[in-house]
C-alpha cells in the first residue's frame, strides 16, 4: 500500500547511513572488466550489449521470456511521457504552472516551437510531435499528463531544501572490448542529501535517486535499484556513489528504499553479469554452463 | 446505493447543449433508444461534476488497517480457492475485470470457447474511439473532427493497429454508421463533460496493479479517468469509467473491482466510482464504502476460483518486448494489461549493432 508522499520523501532525504568504500567500487569495476568480455565473446564482432534497468527488470520476472532487442524504433506516446512529464513537473516546481495537467501542453508546444525556430531538439521527439494532428497529439499529452501527475503526487516537493535534479542525461559506463558492454542508468529524480553527522559539507554532497516504474515490484528489485547506483558510481569514480535509491511503483502503491552499501554494489555487479549473459543467450542460444561464465 | 442521474429532474443543462433525442435506428451499440426523452435531460457541466463530487455520504478516512484487512481476507481466500495452483515462482495469475466477468458468468460454458480475443465489431470500434476522444477532451478540452481525431489517437498506439486496420476495411455503409455514432456521442460528450481543474490532477488511462500472495496473483485494472490526489487523510479520488454502449449489470462489478484495487494500493479507497454513458449522457455514481469493498473482494475470490478451474487460463502475462507491454494472453486478452517501465526506454536496450 502506498506510503504518503511525505513519508517517502523524508526517507529519501534522510542523511546517508552508509558509504561505499573506494575498494569496493574498484573491485566491482575490476570484476566487470574481467568477466564481461568473456560473456560477450559469442556475439558477432562489432555488436554490443546495452543494459538498462528496464531490461534487468524484464529478466527478473518469473517468466522473463525471450529478450527482444531487435525491434525497430518508432516513436509512440509511451516514449515521450517520461521526458515531457519530467519537464512538466520541473515547470511546476518553478511555479510556472499549478499542476502537470496545466503544464504538459504548453511545455510540449514550447519545445516544438523552439525546435522549429532553432532546429535544436531538447527532447528528440519534437519533429515527431510537430507532425501529429490534434487527436494523436492529445494522446501523447494525455500519456505525459498521467505520468507526470503520478510523479507529482508521489513526493512531497516542499521537503527539498536544495532543488532536486529531474531527469537529465542517463548515467553511462562502457566496458570496452571487441564487443562492448554499455551500462545505462536512468533515474527520475536526484536529490542532494544533508551531510552525515560529524561530516563537513565541504566535499561533494551525497545524493539519492528516485526511480519510478510501472507494474509491480518483483522479488530482488532492490538489487535492480542498486544497479542505478552502480552505473552512477562507475561513471563518476571521483564523486561519492549515490547513498540511496528509492524505487516507486505507483501502479501498485509500493516503494522500496535501499541504502547503497558495499554488498548492494557487489550484488548489482553480479546482476549486470547475469543480465549480459541473458542478452547474449537470447541472441546466440544458451551457453553450455552459464554458472561457469558467471564465476558463481 | 446506486445513484443514477436518470432520476434527476433538474433542468440545469447549460444553454447550447446538443442533447438531442435521437430517432435514428440501427444503432451500432444496439439496444433501445437512449432515455434522453421526456422531461429528463442528461446532466452537464457543473451539475454533472456536482453529481460526481457530492455523494451524500461521508468520505472514508485513510486507514491502513482497512487495506491490510482486505489484503488478508483476499490472500486467505486465494489460498483456499487456488490451493496448489498458487505458485509464486510462476507468472502471476492476472485478474482483470474482464476475466472476472467471464469467469463469474458461467465459466464452465466458456472455458473451452469463450476466452480469448474478441472479434471486432462496430460497437467495439465505437468504444475505442470514444475512449480516445474522452481522453482528448479531458486533456486538451476540445475535440476536432471526431473520427479523424479518434483514429489518429488509435493509430499511434501500436496495440490498436489491428482495430485501426479493421476500421479502415469496413464497408462504406458500416463505416458511415460508425462515423455517425461516434460524431453523435462525441458532440454530446463535448457539450456535457465538464472541464476539470488541473489541481484535481486528472489522470487518464491510469494503471493499477496489486500483487497478492507474494506476487502469485495480480489484480490489474486500467481506469479511464481518476481525479483527485491519492494519499490524503480522507478518500479523495474519484474513478470514472466511460462506456459508449448500453448499460450492463457487469459495469457495476467493474466499478467495484476498481474500487477494490485502489483501496489495496492506497491508504484510502476512492470516495466514488462512476460510469458515464456517452450514448445517453447517463452517469451512474456509486459511493464507496466498506461493504462495497468487501463485496468486491468476495466476487474476486469467486472469480479467481472459477479462473483456475478453467484449463489454460492461469497463463497470464508474457513480456512482449523490451519496449513493450505485458500482454494478456489468457482469457479476455487482446488488450495489454498495462505498460511497464520498459516503455520509458526508447533507446534500444539489449543487443545493439
Amino acid at each position: 500500500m502506498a506510503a504518503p508522499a511525505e513519508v517517502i520523501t523524508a526517507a529519501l532525504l534522510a542523511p546517508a547511513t552508509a558509504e561505499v568504500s573506494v575498494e569496493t567500487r574498484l573491485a566491482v569495476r575490476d570484476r566487470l572488466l574481467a568477466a564481461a568480455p568473456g560473456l560477450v565473446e559469442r556475439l558477432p564482432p562489432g555488436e554490443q550489449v546495452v543494459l538498462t534497468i528496464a531490461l534487468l527488470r524484464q529478466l527478473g520476472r518469473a517468466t522473463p521470456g525471450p529478450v527482444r532487442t531487435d525491434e525497430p524504433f518508432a516513436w509512440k506516446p509511451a516514449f515521450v511521457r517520461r521526458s515531457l512529464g519530467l519537464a512538466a513537473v520541473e515547470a511546476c516546481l518553478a511555479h510556472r504552472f499549478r499542476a502537470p495537467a496545466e503544464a504538459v501542453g504548453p511545455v510540449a508546444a514550447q519545445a516544438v516551437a523552439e525546435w522549429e525556430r532553432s532546429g535544436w531538439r531538447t527532447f528528440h521527439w519534437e519533429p515527431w510531435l510537430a507532425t501529429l494532428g490534434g487527436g494523436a497529439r492529445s494522446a501523447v499529452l494525455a500519456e505525459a499528463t498521467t505520468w507526470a501527475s503520478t510523479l507529482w503526487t508521489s513526493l512531497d516537493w516542499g521537503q527539498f531544501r536544495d532543488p532536486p535534479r529531474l531527469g537529465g542525461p542517463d548515467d553511462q559506463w562502457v566496458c570496452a572490448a571487441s564487443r562492448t558492454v554499455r551500462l545505462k542508468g536512468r533515474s527520475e529524480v536526484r536529490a542532494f542529501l544533508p551531510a552525515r553527522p560529524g561530516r563537513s559539507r565541504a566535499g561533494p554532497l551525497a545524493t539519492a535517486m528516485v526511480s519510478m516504474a510501472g507494474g509491480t515490484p518483483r522479488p530482488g528489485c532492490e538489487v535492480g535499484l542498486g544497479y542505478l547506483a552502480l552505473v552512477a558510481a562507475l561513471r563518476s569514480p571521483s564523486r561519492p556513489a549515490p547513498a540511496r535509491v528509492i524505487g516507486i511503483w505507483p501502479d501498485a502503491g509500493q516503494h522500496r528504499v535501499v541504502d547503497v552499501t558495499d554488498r548492494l554494489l557487489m550484488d548489482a555487479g553480479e546482476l549486470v553479469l547475469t543480465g549480459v549473459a541473458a542478452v547474449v543467450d537470447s541472441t546466440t542460444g544458451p551457453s553450455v554452463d552459464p554458472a561457469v561464465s558467471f564465476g558463481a | 446505493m446506486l445513484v443514477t442521474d436518470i432520476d434527476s429532474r433538474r433542468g440545469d443543462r447549460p444553454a447550447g447543449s446538443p442533447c438531442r433525442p435521437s430517432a435514428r435506428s440501427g444503432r451500432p451499440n444496439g439496444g433501445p433508444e437512449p432515455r434522453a426523452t421526456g422531461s429528463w435531460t442528461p446532466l452537464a457541466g457543473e451539475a454533472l461534476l456536482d453529481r460526481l463530487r457530492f455523494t451524500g455520504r461521508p468520505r472514508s478516512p485513510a486507514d491502513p488497517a482497512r487495506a491490510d484487512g482486505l489484503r488478508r481476507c483476499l490472500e486467505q481466500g486465494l489460498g483456499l480457492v487456488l490451493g496448489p495452483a498458487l505458485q509464486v515462482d510462476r507468472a502471476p495469475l492476472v485478474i482483470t475485470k474482464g476475466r472476472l466477468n467471464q469467469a463469474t458468468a458461467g465459466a464452465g460454458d466458456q472455458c473451452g470457447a469463450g476466452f480469448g480475443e474478441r472479434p471486432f465489431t462496430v460497437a467495439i470500434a465505437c468504444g475505442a474511439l470514444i475512449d480516445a476522444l474522452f481522453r482528448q477532451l479531458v486533456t486538451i478540452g476540445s475535440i476536432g473532427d471526431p473520427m479523424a481525431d479518434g483514429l489518429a489517437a488509435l493509430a499511434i498506439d501500436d496495440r490498436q493497429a489491428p482495430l485501426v486496420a479493421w476500421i479502415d476495411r469496413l464497408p462504406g455503409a458500416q463505416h458511415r454508421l460508425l462515423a455517425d455514432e461516434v460524431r453523435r456521442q462525441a458532440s454530446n460528450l463535448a457539450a456535457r463533460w465538464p472541464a476539470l481543474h488541473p489541481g484535481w490532477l486528472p489522470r487518464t488511462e491510469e494503471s493499477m496493479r496489486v500483487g497478492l500472495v507474494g506476487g502469485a496473483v495480480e489484480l490489474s485494472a486500467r481506469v479511464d479517468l481518476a481525479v483527485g490526489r491519492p494519499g490524503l487523510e480522507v478518500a479523495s479520488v474519484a474513478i470514472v469509467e466511460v462506456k459508449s454502449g448500453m448499460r450492463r449489470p457487469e459495469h457495476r462489478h467493474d466499478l467495484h473491482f476498481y474500487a477494490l484495487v485502489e483501496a489495496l494500493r492506497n491508504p484510502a479507497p476512492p470516495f466514488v466510482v462512476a460510469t458515464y454513458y456517452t450514448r445517453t449522457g447517463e452517469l451512474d455514481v456509486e459511493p464507496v464504502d466498506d461493504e462495497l469493498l468487501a463485496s468486491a473482494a468476495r466476487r474476486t475470490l469467486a472469480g479467481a476460483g472459477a479462473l483456475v478451474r478453467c484449463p489454460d487460463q492461469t497463463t497470464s502475462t508474457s513480456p512482449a518486448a523490451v519496449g513493450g507491454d505485458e500482454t494478456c494472453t489468457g482469457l479476455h486478452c487482446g488488450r495489454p494489461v498495462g505498460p511497464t517501465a520498459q516503455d520509458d526506454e526508447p533507446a534500444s536496450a539489449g543487443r545493439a549493432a
Side-chain angles (χ1 to χ4, degrees):
Chain A
M1 187 180 56
E6 301 80 40
V7 173
I8 296 176
T9 312
L12 175 74
L13 298 177
T17 58
E19 194 171 333
V20 176
S21 69
V22 175
E23 292 76 19
T24 298
R25 292 175 70 163
L26 288 173
V28 176
R29 179 175 175 275
D30 291 346
R31 166 100 174 104
L32 293 176
L33 288 172
L39 295 175
V40 293
E41 259 178 5
R42 287 185 292 133
L43 285 179
E47 292 211 352
Q48 64 172 330
V49 171
V50 181
L51 275 195
T52 65
I53 190 169
L55 184 64
L56 292 172
R57 282 173 175 150
Q58 183 188 350
L59 296 169
R61 291 181 185 143
T63 51
V67 180
R68 286 174 58 180
T69 60
D70 52 356
E71 273 194 306
F73 176 74
W75 283 109
K76 57 182 181 177
F79 289 166
V80 176
R81 68 182 174 202
R82 179 181 180 273
S83 55
L84 177 53
L86 284 170
V89 170
E90 197 160 33
C92 292
L93 289 175
H95 304 292
R96 289 173 52 207
F97 302 96
R98 290 170 292 180
E102 195 175 55
V104 163
V107 167
Q110 187 182 351
V112 169
E114 184 62 21
W115 166 71
E116 288 172 338
R117 188 185 64 78
S118 68
W120 177 257
R121 294 185 297 171
T122 305
F123 301 103
H124 300 287
W125 40 252
E126 293 94 330
W128 176 68
L129 193 64
T131 65
L132 299 181
R137 193 181 176 112
S138 74
V140 176
L141 301 183
E143 194 78 19
T145 300
T146 297
W147 191 95
S149 298
T150 303
L151 179 62
W152 183 245
T153 56
S154 294
L155 295 172
D156 176 14
W157 301 96
Q159 286 189 40
F160 288 83
R161 281 193 301 185
D162 299 314
R165 198 185 86 185
L166 297 182
D170 295 354
D171 289 322
Q172 293 201 42
W173 181 76
V174 176
C175 176
S178 59
R179 300 151 183 88
T180 56
V181 175
R182 182 182 298 272
L183 310 186
K184 295 174 76 172
R186 169 180 288 187
S187 59
E188 277 60 60
V189 180
R190 206 173 289 221
F192 295 105
L193 301 184
R196 295 171 66 189
R199 299 287 183 94
S200 79
R201 284 192 67 145
L205 289 176
T207 57
M209 310 162 96
V210 176
S211 169
M212 190 169 84
T216 56
R218 305 291 183 199
C221 63
E222 291 84 357
V223 183
L225 297 174
Y227 167 82
L228 296 176
L230 172 64
V231 183
L234 289 168
R235 178 206 177 194
S236 306
S238 61
R239 302 182 67 81
R244 181 175 299 121
V245 186
I246 289 191
I248 301 175
W249 286 263
D251 295 359
Q254 298 280 318
H255 78 283
R256 300 283 187 276
V257 182
V258 293
D259 286 324
V260 181
T261 61
D262 290 348
R263 180 76 256 164
L264 181 71
L265 225 54
M266 288 189 286
D267 289 346
E270 295 307 309
L271 180 66
V272 166
L273 295 177
T274 307
V276 171
V279 171
V280 173
D281 284 352
S282 75
T283 307
T284 62
S287 59
V288 177
D289 184 357
V292 175
S293 302
F294 301 160
Chain B
M1 178 182 67
L2 180 68
V3 181
T4 69
D5 70 356
I6 196 76
D7 302 320
S8 167
R9 299 288 168 181
R10 287 192 247 174
D12 50 3
R13 179 168 56 90
S17 292
C19 48
R20 55 188 175 177
S22 169
R24 208 173 295 149
S25 60
R27 312 178 63 81
N29 294 303
E33 284 296 313
R35 286 191 279 177
T37 55
S39 61
W40 179 79
T41 54
L43 293 177
E46 285 297 315
L48 193 156
L49 203 54
D50 286 351
R51 176 56 62 92
L52 194 60
R53 294 172 70 195
F54 304 115
T55 64
R57 297 274 191 89
R59 298 187 181 187
S60 301
D63 182 8
R66 177 195 300 107
D68 289 345
L70 278 171
R71 178 178 290 272
R72 204 166 40 247
C73 156
L74 279 165
E75 292 190 331
Q76 285 174 355
L78 286 168
L80 288 173
V81 299
L82 301 186
L86 268 181
Q87 294 181 38
V88 293
D89 57 342
R90 288 182 53 189
L93 168 65
V94 177
I95 299 178
T96 64
K97 64 173 187 180
R99 286 182 156 210
L100 273 183
N101 287 336
Q102 292 203 31
T104 54
D109 298 334
Q110 304 218 23
C111 278
F115 297 144
E117 206 155 327
R118 290 181 297 172
F120 293 130
T121 62
V122 171
I124 285 178
C126 182
L129 288 162
I130 290 297
D131 277 352
L133 293 172
F134 177 74
R135 199 177 194 201
Q136 174 174 340
L137 185 62
V138 168
T139 303
I140 65 171
S142 63
I143 297 172
D145 176 82
M147 276 302 276
D149 280 358
L151 281 171
L154 295 182
I156 58 165
D157 181 350
D158 48 9
R159 298 166 300 189
Q160 301 283 9
L163 177 61
V164 173
W166 183 86
I167 294 171
D168 284 345
R169 290 195 305 268
L170 271 180
Q174 276 191 294
H175 198 282
R176 276 193 299 279
L177 185 69
L178 172 65
D180 285 349
E181 183 63 13
V182 167
R183 288 196 183 98
R184 189 188 71 79
Q185 292 197 20
S187 167
N188 288 341
L189 184 60
R192 293 172 187 149
W193 187 260
L196 302 173
H197 191 284
W200 293 337
L201 301 166
R203 306 173 296 283
T204 53
E205 298 284 321
E206 185 171 70
S207 172
M208 308 191 296
R209 304 176 80 168
V210 169
L212 298 168
V213 209
V217 177
E218 196 168 287
L219 308 185
S220 178
R222 180 175 290 262
V223 298
D224 288 331
L225 175 65
V227 194
R229 180 182 284 267
L232 299 182
E233 290 183 354
V234 293
S236 53
V237 171
I239 288 175
V240 179
E241 182 79 343
V242 171
K243 299 289 184 191
S244 64
M246 58 191 298
R247 187 187 260 126
R248 292 177 186 278
E250 59 262 32
H251 293 167
R252 287 188 70 194
H253 296 312
D254 294 347
L255 295 181
H256 297 182
F257 182 67
Y258 294 153
L260 174 66
V261 182
E262 177 69 6
L264 286 166
R265 72 172 185 153
N266 275 317
F271 72 92
V272 69
V273 285
T275 304
Y276 185 67
Y277 293 92
T278 53
R279 179 171 161 269
T280 59
E282 292 165 290
L283 179 71
D284 285 358
V285 176
E286 207 159 354
V288 176
D289 56 21
D290 289 349
E291 190 182 329
L292 180 150
L293 296 172
S295 159
R298 285 193 296 272
R299 183 170 181 271
T300 301
L301 286 175
L307 274 173
V308 291
R309 285 192 292 276
C310 295
D312 302 326
Q313 296 315 316
T314 52
T315 307
S316 52
T317 59
S318 65
V322 170
D325 288 343
E326 289 187 331
T327 305
C328 167
T329 56
L331 89 166
H332 202 69
C333 63
R335 184 164 180 184
V337 292
T340 63
Q342 288 86 342
D343 273 332
D344 296 327
E345 297 282 355
S348 59
R351 181 173 56 85

